[in-house]
Amino acid sequence: SQTIHQWPATLVQPVGSPLSLECTVEGTSNPNLYWYRQAAGRGLQLLFYSVGIGQISSEVPQNLSASRPQDRQFILSSKKLLLSDSGFYLCAWSAYFRDPDTQYFGPGTRLTVL
Amino acid sequence: QQQVKQSPQSLIVQKGGISIINCAYENTAFDYFPWYQQFPGKGPALLIAIRPDVSEKKEGRFTISFNKSAKQFSLHIMDSQPGDSATYFCAASIASGNTGKLIFGQGTTLQVKP
């Protein structure tokens, strides 16, 4: 069966510090991968998606970036965090060939920028 | 045209009652409409989904009704239970292209009172 992991689960960072959030998927190959941000009490904002290694599409211009160094690894980064970067960050995957529309979400990372 | 509009923003229902959440879209190219359920502090999980070749899909107490001509779809939760208290998101996507990109509604917070 497939499993998606995210870490860390929670993170408190000062403004201006760097960020690295990691997401890994087990039990599948060639997944589509997605990063979302969810502000408190708000909807899901798609940040980045990737259909393959090294292929990253950005949905929202911001000070965040994403990378996919391996087939089942997706990393969200920032060089300098802003207060507005606080939120709940969710990684998701879908099966590129079998069922690309059905996304499976990870447990999320709660980021607080102070 | 890429938006999915969801209503109401919040909903309070008595145990045993029917919960109804509505979504509307503009892009006629959308051809996959899932609903996700999210509990506090957790990632969203797929609840039920429909494609436009059918007008209704039922899974247990959950039913999606789809009106292609009106470009609307809704989630009905029959015999609502306190355990159904969560945030519900509708979404839409264009199945071709294998990106699996979903456009999410803003979410509905459901509270089922015992």
Side-chain angles (χ1 to χ4, degrees):
Chain A
S1 62
Q2 299 82 22
T3 310
I4 179 168
H5 303 278
Q6 285 187 246
W7 61 88
T10 60
L11 191 60
V12 180
Q13 292 284 90
V15 169
S17 65
L19 173 74
S20 181
L21 303 180
E22 189 166 343
C23 170
T24 58
V25 181
E26 296 177 353
T28 189
S29 57
N30 304 115
N32 290 338
L33 295 170
Y34 312 86
W35 276 114
Y36 291 87
R37 177 170 58 204
Q38 187 174 32
R42 302 292 296 276
L44 297 159
Q45 180 186 33
L46 179 63
L47 302 175
F48 302 93
Y49 70 94
S50 171
V51 298
I53 296 175
Q55 301 178 61
I56 309 293
S57 295
S58 173
E59 290 292 299
V60 181
Q62 60 215 326
N63 70 323
L64 297 172
S65 62
S67 62
R68 184 170 177 173
Q70 301 180 43
D71 181 45
R72 291 169 291 174
Q73 184 184 32
F74 207 21
I75 296 173
L76 184 69
S77 304
S78 173
K79 292 182 179 178
K80 290 186 177 182
L81 283 169
L82 307 173
L83 286 174
S84 57
D85 291 323
S86 292
F88 191 44
Y89 287 82
L90 290 156
C91 181
W93 73 274
S94 68
Y96 178 87
F97 292 109
R98 181 169 45 84
D99 184 11
D101 303 311
T102 301
Q103 292 189 18
Y104 302 92
F105 285 82
T109 295
R110 177 77 59 190
L111 171 66
T112 303
V113 182
L114 301 174
Chain B
Q1 202 177 17
Q2 284 290 87
Q3 281 186 319
V4 177
K5 296 182 180 179
Q6 184 172 346
S7 63
Q9 188 173 358
S10 62
L11 183 60
I12 300 175
V13 174
Q14 290 295 127
K15 178 182 176 181
I18 302 173
S19 304
I20 302 174
I21 305 170
N22 301 297
C23 285
Y25 63 97
E26 289 295 325
N27 190 344
T28 55
F30 287 147
D31 56 4
Y32 176 70
F33 304 90
W35 285 89
Y36 281 81
Q37 179 189 54
Q38 184 181 30
F39 293 104
K42 306 294 184 183
L46 178 67
L47 188 62
I48 187 173
I50 197 169
R51 297 192 185 273
D53 52 342
V54 295
S55 60
E56 185 175 283
K57 183 174 181 179
K58 183 176 180 179
E59 290 184 2
R61 295 185 294 110
F62 301 91
T63 300
I64 298 180
S65 297
F66 182 77
N67 187 328
K68 189 174 182 178
S69 60
K71 291 183 284 187
Q72 295 176 348
F73 58 109
S74 60
L75 176 69
H76 296 235
I77 306 175
M78 312 300 288
D79 187 26
S80 299
Q81 299 297 311
D84 297 330
S85 298
T87 301
Y88 293 81
F89 293 96
C90 64
S93 75
I94 301 170
S96 62
N98 289 82
T99 66
K101 280 179 55 180
L102 291 173
I103 309 299
F104 281 91
Q106 285 303 103
T108 297
T109 301
L110 170 64
Q111 182 183 358
V112 181
K113 289 194 169 182

